[in-house]
Amino acid sequence: MSGPFLPVKNGSLTVFLCLKVIEFMSIIDYDKYETVIGLEVHAQLLTKTKLFCGDSASFGAEANTHISEITLAYPGTLPKLNRKAVELAIRMGFACHCEIERTNYFARKNYFYPDLPKGYQVSQHTTPICKGGFVPIKTTAGDKKVQLNRIHLEEDAGKSIHDIDDKFTCVDYNRAGVPLIEIVTEPDLSSAEEAFAYVTEIRKLVRHLDVCDGNMEEGSLRCDANISIRLKGEKTLGTKVEVKNLNSIRNVKKAIEFEVKRMIDLVEAGEKIIQQTRSFNADNDTTFALRTKEEANDYRYFPDPDLPPFIVTDEQLQKIMDAMPALPEQLIEKYRSAMQLSEYDARVISEDKGLIEYFGSLTIHTTHYKSAANWLLGPVKSWMNEMAKPISSFPVNPARLAAAIDMVENGKLSFSTATSALLSKMIEEPTKEPMELAIELNLLQDAGSDEVSKWVDEVLAKMPEKVAEYKKGKKGLIGLFMGEVKKVSKGKADPRITTELLNEKLNH
Ligand code: ADP
Ligand code: MG
């Protein structure tokens, strides 16, 4: 017999059961542990040119076409700092509530690798341009401000390509020298869900600020996850493992989930966690070791003698601050308090730059803010989904859409007619005024519709139980409501308008 079974002559059943109980009790209690995560997110800045020369920084060009002598580090070449990259880094710093460093310098991080033409990477070692700060996130566990350690500027390396030639690894230097910011959190995240929410928020922010395109598949946003575990209540941090180059938000979550379980299983098996750099295998959602701490590089950082320190002035900071768009968190606050939108609507609009802009214009032309949000997130969003197009391609301009919204609010036509017949026509003929189209299509309600609306309200207010039953699915009750409206209006209510209004009021 193997494992916990002991050879016993008598009472073997009792012993067997006892051992089963012990085995059951030793099932791992994962809840004893807590997870500690710190994330390092690299974001490629949306500059036209590289961090220290005029080579194009764009993605997807033919290999090795954006490679001047400076990118290739020919002897005698000198780097020159890209002002726009500094501005974008500060922009992100403002959005994350960081303190901005005024006296900055660059350091050389020395290591040898084929994709690094200079033999060192220029980075900010001791003076990151942004210090501290936080990013607010929302999870099922509640609201949290994820504390940042720093945001610093650095240049990207080239790209080694292992799969286009059988015998050789090829190198593309187009990416070498492209400007990045690295956003580093404190070890302040405590679950895969929080990490997911944080990277989602970062991607939203960089896109909102035009700092980075946020495209994780193309590698313009990449994440390294540092993960450790400890017993709940423990104060000191556990030994961390770093999972490199996660290229989707889902993979960040999956890598953390896998690592946490792997580490707890190790500790429970009496083994020690070793500090490692690991990589994620998206084919089977596991991680594997790349190198251990003993093999870690000593980068021999020192200030780059070719790059003088750069000073950020008050005037520069003011200019960048003045050009900042309102942040999503500020917009949500404004939509909720000044415009009375629901939390949900406010969030959905604030998540899409195009929607923010369109809604902004819409609310210049109409003060019916809630209706404007309903139109935008209802029929307009359906159009976007159906056509798979962004709001910037929506043919109807905000002024005309606002006019249609006001027509409904003023009782000229019903919401359902406006968002179906009229809106389709407006999309077909976006240069015509909605009133003109409504007349053409004979959609306007006769003068009585305001009165009918009052009768309908009166009837529905009188029969709350029936309304509740209808809403639960007893749709046949519509006949009863129709009859009542006919009665209270003494037969004056137009049945077509009555049906339309009843449907609208009962179903919205
Ligand atoms: P390194 O020098 O290995 O890059 P840093 O101290 O610069 O380490 O931290 C890198 C990231 O790892 C930061 O986001 C930090 O918050 C996080 N981190 C550091 N120690 C731990 C730990 N024990 N557990 C989880 N995350 C950690
Ligand atoms: Mg690191």
Side-chain angles (χ1 to χ4, degrees), residues 20 119 126 148 155 258 395 416 440:
K20 273 287 158 204
T126 51
L148 296 188
E155 55 177 357
F258 177 82
S416 51
E440 241 173 60

Side-chain angles (χ1 to χ4, degrees), residues 232-248:
K232 279 182 181 158
E234 190 107 20
K235 290 278 173 293
T236 49
L237 290 171
T239 304
K240 72 166 182 167
V241 157
E242 179 171 4
V243 186
K244 282 274 188 204
N245 282 330
L246 294 159
N247 64 355
S248 81

Side-chain angles (χ1 to χ4, degrees), residues 244-278:
K244 282 274 188 204
N245 282 330
L246 294 159
N247 64 355
S248 81
I249 302 185
R250 252 163 34 125
N251 288 351
V252 172
K253 184 161 177 266
K254 284 185 185 162
I256 294 170
E257 280 163 356
F258 177 82
E259 265 314 298
V260 168
K261 178 162 186 317
R262 188 187 69 86
M263 288 198 276
I264 295 177
D265 289 346
L266 269 181
V267 172
E268 287 285 322
E271 289 180 46
K272 260 188 103 169
I273 293 169
I274 33 176
Q275 189 168 334
Q276 274 178 337
T277 304
R278 299 177 71 90

Side-chain angles (χ1 to χ4, degrees), residues 36-40 150 184-187 226-228 237-238 240:
V36 178
I37 303 157
L39 295 181
E40 296 163 280
R150 63 178 189 272
V184 184
T185 73
E186 293 293 346
N226 298 268
I227 309 151
S228 64
L237 290 171
K240 72 166 182 167

